[in-house]
Amino acid sequence: MSPEATFWLFQLTAAACLALWMIVAVVNNVQGFRASVGAVGVTMSMTLLKEAPLDKLPFHNRAVNNVAAHRVALIGVLVIQVASALALSVGTGLIAVQPFQYASEQAIGVLNMGLSAFVLCWCFMFIAGLWFGFWIKQEGLLLTQLLLASWGLLSFLVFNMAR
């Protein structure tokens, strides 16, 4: 197999995995909407930071206890996730229809839009989480979001390095 063909296979695999990951994220948030709103609410209401000695933190006034606001935040995340899933899926299809060639400029452009939404989603979450102090008690969530954003950034290199 030629280097061009193996690079095509790698790009196709990387694009398909990103698209599938984001599709599953969307499906999970839609199917478990109430649970996801609850998870968002735990962070936004700063529930885990209400025990001593964390109850004295100076930024507790940032807590948002309104369930409607938690729903709006999750809907915002879902919109970004759907946009990413669609663009990544279309980009994957555009790579697939030109087998054994470097991804076309059109495919790269669509994938870059999907990656932009992918990275935006996770950056939005960890920046919002930083605002609500989730790094204090939800460090696993922060690390997951940082790794997902890094996956998106590294994928940008994979899709654009053959250009």
Side-chain angles (χ1 to χ4, degrees):
M1 199 177 252
S2 72
E4 185 178 68
T6 58
F7 195 74
W8 166 83
L9 183 60
F10 186 77
Q11 285 183 319
L12 179 64
T13 301
C17 289
L18 283 161
L20 287 172
W21 201 99
M22 194 54 93
I23 289 167
V24 171
V26 168
V27 169
N28 286 349
N29 280 329
V30 169
Q31 281 184 336
F33 189 81
R34 283 186 190 209
S36 294
V37 168
V40 168
V42 166
T43 298
M44 290 179 68
S45 66
M46 302 170 85
T47 300
L48 301 176
L49 303 179
K50 292 184 177 171
E51 301 170 6
L54 302 174
D55 60 335
K56 304 288 188 238
L57 292 172
F59 49 83
H60 276 282
N61 61 333
R62 298 177 187 172
V64 176
N65 295 307
N66 184 322
V67 176
H70 304 163
R71 272 191 215 101
V72 168
L74 179 59
I75 290 168
V77 166
L78 264 167
V79 167
I80 296 168
Q81 288 178 333
V82 167
S84 177
L86 287 172
L88 290 168
S89 296
V90 170
T92 300
L94 290 170
I95 290 174
V97 299
Q98 293 185 320
F100 310 114
Q101 300 175 34
Y102 293 117
S104 68
E105 290 204 15
Q106 182 184 19
I108 298 300
V110 173
L111 286 168
N112 284 347
M113 288 190 297
L115 286 171
S116 294
F118 189 90
V119 171
L120 175 65
C121 179
W122 310 120
C123 288
F124 172 73
M125 284 189 201
F126 66 71
I127 291 168
L130 180 64
W131 179 258
F132 293 111
F134 85 143
W135 49 272
I136 297 170
K137 287 284 227 166
Q138 296 173 289
E139 54 279 331
L141 182 58
L142 171 62
L143 290 174
T144 300
Q145 292 166 353
L146 288 169
L147 286 171
L148 287 164
S150 298
W151 183 20
L153 293 169
L154 290 171
S155 295
F156 179 84
L157 296 176
V158 167
F159 297 132
N160 289 277
M161 65 199 241
R163 304 185 79 211

